[in-house]
Amino acid sequence: MPKVHPRLIVAVCTVAFVALCAFHQTRAQRSAAIDTYAITNARIVTVSGPIIDRGTVVIRNGLIAAAGPNVSAPPDARVIDGSGLTVYPGLIDSYTNLALPEPAAAPSPGGGGGGGAFLLLQQQQRPAPGGPNSTQPAGLQPEVMVEDAIRPSGTEIESSRNIGITTALTAPRSGIWMGQSALINLSGETPQQMIVRSPVAMHVSFTPLRGSGYPGSLLGVFSTLRQMMLDAQRYRDSMQIYERNPRGIRRPDVDRSLAALVPVIEGRMPVVMIANTEREISRALDLAEEFKLKLIIAGGREADRVAGDLKKQNVPVLLSLNLPRRTTAAMPEADPEPMRVLRERVEAQQTAGKLAKAGVRFAFQSGSLANVSDLMLNASRVIENGLSSADAVRAFTIWPAEILGVANQLGSIEPGKIANLTITRGDLFDRNSRVAHVFIDGRPIDLRPPTDRPAGGRNVTGAWALNVKLGPDEKTGSLTLQQEGERVTGSIAGSLGAGEISNASMTGDEVRFTIPLQLEGQTKEATFTGTLSGNEIRGNVTVVGAAPGTFTATRSRPN
């Protein structure tokens, strides 16, 4: 074998090393170019400052590097000509179930309440299959965390991105102590890449547990909420005493549910309470004042009626833009809609403007709209009824960022913030505008045709003709329902009487609600439990002090 001169070996190694360095440098330069973008000649709504009529936004490494009228595009940037375009901070939907698995068709047998998705969350939290993770039943487990159930991608995420939503608060679907939410960017291959902050807040619903489990009434719900917070206070105190000097003291039992409530009762974690009516919001405010909670109201349909109290207690609102409206044609045999229902439709469009005038902080949320593409249309209606366009932009950007504790990362176009951008051709709320580009974490998103969930699929929103059979008696009436996620509100009118429904919910195809009925000259409480199939609900009626019966409800066909 011929002998190789050592200098030749050194020379060859040197050349190879230089070539390898050049390869990595070239690859790094290509990577840097892909991560650097410049939107030029665009109108820029910074939110944090004045509108820039013509300027440039530079994105580098997932962050906003620069924005202004005199900013130049870097030589390594991919340039997007923004002529005729407007750049907004990425829009934030402040209450959703995005990225969570769909609920099961029906509650698990013997589950003691709670929706299917909540049970899935519960199962994923358990340390071993089938093992308990709590001393509390499903629906009363505040330790449940949404981040454990997030699933990237999906048609609902794509639909939200198509209208400019880049970030969403995703919360558990059901329960009383529902669990802890996460703020996610609507892009990423893994949950870890999506999560901006987790946990964000504890979530509470006033809907009683389904089935025979306690609490099954509104009174029981508030009793349970209070008792668990009192228990959490005692749990915290006993743990602190033990940690200071464990000798001679019996070790307290670990309780994950009560431990999860400690940050809540200490005011370190906000608690979001779902409340729409004036009475529900007032009860939430009283509970927050009693336990010194850092309260946020979600829903807030009648929040303007208690705006003074909200302002006094510095409680913000995640205001639903799932505005009540007639979604189906009136049936000829149905009674005319009550004036109260018509009034609610008008007043719901005025709530945001009244909150802004009263100085109450609020952020917009989609409120489980059947078609998320209606979100901007409803925002336009709110603007037409008293809210300024500038405040509407803030309610989708900086205000939710402030309320959810991420204003140093999101909500405005400023150097150093996450490069989430919504770029439109035309004004954001113009009915003829369209979303031209969306950036999430500094990367452009491929916008696809909308694939909204069809209206009416497992959704009871609409006007219904109600027929109730109780023994030999048969009575009719009209029923109006409005659904947001699994929560249902509505009213009844006709020969059965008039009033608001209560304790209402929708899980899978099963709908449940309570109505005061006029029977035998008296007002009696009746609980309806039925199964939705297309435009019909069939089920059973249980009346206090009377024999059970059956009912059918038929929804009028869509226009």
Side-chain angles (χ1 to χ4, degrees):
M1 182 176 179
K3 185 177 180 181
V4 180
H5 197 284
R7 290 184 179 179
L8 179 59
I9 295 175
V10 172
V12 170
C13 291
T14 302
V15 170
F17 177 75
V18 170
L20 183 62
C21 290
F23 169 77
H24 283 294
Q25 184 177 8
T26 302
R27 188 170 66 174
Q29 288 171 346
R30 286 199 303 266
S31 176
I34 292 174
D35 287 338
T36 304
Y37 298 85
I39 301 105
T40 62
N41 305 314
R43 179 174 176 263
I44 305 171
V45 181
T46 65
V47 175
S48 58
I51 294 175
I52 299 169
D53 291 327
R54 187 181 180 87
T56 296
V57 179
V58 177
I59 300 168
R60 190 184 295 276
N61 296 328
L63 302 176
I64 298 171
N70 301 315
V71 173
S72 299
D76 61 341
R78 182 176 298 176
V79 177
I80 297 173
D81 184 4
S83 299
L85 302 179
T86 301
V87 184
Y88 296 90
L91 306 186
I92 301 172
D93 190 340
S94 63
Y95 202 108
T96 75
N97 302 128
L98 287 173
L100 293 185
E102 285 292 324
S108 176
F118 184 87
L119 292 177
L120 176 60
L121 281 169
Q122 174 196 0
Q123 292 162 2
Q124 291 174 342
Q125 278 286 98
R126 292 175 176 173
N133 73 336
S134 175
T135 58
Q136 304 295 332
L140 294 172
Q141 297 178 355
E143 72 273 21
V144 169
M145 297 186 70
V146 153
E147 69 174 42
D148 295 325
I150 288 174
R151 298 291 181 269
S153 72
T155 56
E156 290 185 337
I157 288 178
E158 290 180 358
S159 297
S160 293
R161 295 189 309 210
N162 286 340
I163 64 166
I165 303 296
T166 63
T167 308
L169 182 75
T170 187
R173 294 181 185 273
S174 60
I176 296 173
W177 287 111
M178 302 170 70
Q180 303 171 50
S181 56
L183 188 71
I184 61 172
N185 276 343
L186 301 187
S187 178
E189 297 179 356
T190 65
Q192 292 73 24
Q193 291 175 352
M194 299 175 72
I195 293 171
V196 177
R197 183 178 183 185
S198 178
V200 175
M202 183 70 68
H203 290 253
V204 169
S205 169
F206 300 149
T207 302
L209 295 181
R210 302 172 68 85
S212 59
Y214 178 84
S217 67
L218 188 60
L219 181 62
V221 168
F222 278 89
S223 177
T224 300
L225 288 171
R226 286 191 174 92
Q227 187 59 56
M228 285 189 67
M229 285 190 283
L230 290 171
D231 291 344
Q233 290 175 346
R234 287 190 287 271
Y235 178 81
R236 174 199 59 190
D237 294 343
S238 64
M239 282 294 185
Q240 289 176 348
I241 291 171
Y242 181 77
E243 288 171 1
R244 282 197 296 267
N245 185 11
R247 287 192 176 186
I249 301 176
R250 183 181 181 276
R251 176 175 54 82
D253 293 335
V254 173
D255 190 313
R256 293 183 64 193
S257 294
L258 297 182
L261 291 179
V262 171
V264 172
I265 61 174
E266 292 182 345
R268 293 184 284 114
M269 177 183 289
V271 55
V272 177
M273 295 188 182
I274 301 171
N276 277 294
T277 67
E278 179 180 358
R279 178 178 294 181
E280 287 173 341
I281 298 170
S282 295
R283 285 172 172 169
L285 289 170
D286 291 343
L287 194 62
E289 190 170 23
E290 178 182 353
F291 286 93
K292 309 303 179 189
L293 306 178
K294 189 176 180 181
L295 177 64
I296 300 172
I297 295 295
R301 189 175 64 246
E302 296 179 359
D304 57 304
R305 300 184 185 181
V306 288
D309 294 332
L310 291 167
K311 174 67 175 175
K312 181 180 178 182
Q313 291 184 226
N314 192 29
V315 174
V317 178
L318 307 180
L319 185 63
S320 173
L321 282 180
N322 190 354
L323 302 177
R325 62 188 179 93
R326 180 184 285 280
T327 58
T328 56
M331 298 183 67
E333 64 271 24
D335 294 330
E337 289 187 296
M339 282 298 297
R340 175 185 49 76
V341 174
L342 300 175
R343 191 185 312 115
E344 284 178 354
R345 286 189 197 148
V346 175
E347 291 177 349
Q349 300 178 36
Q350 300 171 347
T351 301
K354 292 177 180 178
L355 291 179
K357 186 175 181 181
V360 177
R361 293 184 300 152
F362 66 93
F364 284 144
Q365 53 139 316
S366 56
S368 300
L369 276 165
N371 293 312
V372 74
S373 56
D374 289 338
L375 186 63
M376 291 304 151
L377 176 62
N378 288 351
S380 299
R381 289 178 176 147
V382 167
I383 293 170
E384 292 166 1
N385 283 272
L387 183 69
S388 71
S389 295
D391 280 348
V393 172
R394 295 185 186 103
F396 272 119
T397 55
I398 192 64
W399 288 349
E402 291 172 347
I403 292 169
L404 302 176
V406 291
N408 61 338
Q409 297 169 278
L410 299 167
S412 61
I413 299 178
E414 298 179 76
K417 287 195 172 184
I418 296 172
N420 285 3
L421 301 174
T422 299
I423 305 171
T424 63
R425 189 168 295 280
D427 183 82
L428 180 63
F429 304 112
D430 190 312
R431 301 191 184 195
N432 296 319
S433 71
R434 68 177 182 86
V435 176
H437 304 277
V438 167
F439 279 80
I440 299 178
D441 274 321
R443 293 186 176 275
I445 299 300
D446 182 20
L447 300 180
R448 302 177 182 177
T451 53
D452 291 325
R453 179 186 298 175
R458 291 199 292 187
N459 192 301
V460 294
T461 298
W464 301 77
L466 182 64
N467 184 283
V468 179
K469 292 182 179 180
L470 294 168
D473 296 330
E474 184 171 335
K475 292 196 174 187
T476 60
S478 60
L479 181 66
T480 303
L481 299 176
Q482 177 77 18
Q483 180 179 343
E484 295 187 12
E486 295 184 359
R487 293 170 289 280
V488 180
T489 57
S491 60
I492 187 175
S495 62
L496 289 163
E500 298 283 337
I501 70 172
S502 60
N503 298 346
S505 61
M506 181 78 188
T507 302
D509 295 325
E510 184 181 290
V511 61
R512 180 186 176 96
F513 52 85
T514 301
I515 299 179
L517 298 183
Q518 292 295 326
L519 300 171
E520 301 173 351
Q522 298 180 351
T523 300
K524 297 185 178 182
E525 188 175 85
T527 298
F528 290 67
T529 304
T531 301
L532 172 66
S533 177
N535 289 303
E536 186 176 69
I537 304 173
R538 289 182 176 271
N540 299 317
V541 184
T542 304
V543 182
V544 176
T550 61
F551 79 96
T552 59
T554 305
R555 177 164 48 189
S556 53
R557 297 290 176 183
N559 289 322

